[in-house]
Amino acid sequence: LATSWPQVIGVGATFDEELWWQLGNMTSTEGRGKAGGVGHTYWAPVVNIFRDPRWGRGQESPGEDPVLTSKFGAKYISGLQ
């Protein structure tokens, strides 16, 4: 079993940096709880800047704003650590 989070584009739209940290923290806690975190893959949101809708995976990124995306990535990784 794994916890499911809302679409990253919606989480990014909250502009809530504490929420982003909490999502990273909960992901790492869950990962460490399964076999001590050994041999597991941590799937994280895409932090590529979403600029071209033809990419088709925009919902997997926090958005097209570089400042928002960089803050999101930093907080999420901080939570994972």
Side-chain angles (χ1 to χ4, degrees):
L1 294 175
T3 304
S4 217
W5 306 123
Q7 286 285 357
V8 180
I9 193 89
V11 173
T14 66
F15 290 87
D16 184 352
E17 295 183 27
E18 178 63 23
L19 172 65
W20 305 337
W21 184 89
Q22 288 175 357
L23 290 175
N25 187 42
M26 287 185 275
T27 300
S28 70
T29 301
E30 180 176 306
R32 286 190 312 269
K34 295 182 178 190
V38 177
H40 288 276
T41 318
Y42 294 83
W43 289 27
V46 175
V47 291
N48 291 336
I49 306 297
F50 179 57
R51 300 275 170 120
D52 188 350
R54 293 176 295 173
W55 180 38
R57 301 184 77 164
Q59 73 276 8
E60 296 177 22
S61 74
E64 59 186 36
D65 179 18
V67 175
L68 170 73
T69 302
S70 63
K71 286 182 179 181
F72 177 87
K75 285 293 187 176
Y76 190 85
I77 294 300
S78 175
L80 280 174
Q81 293 174 338

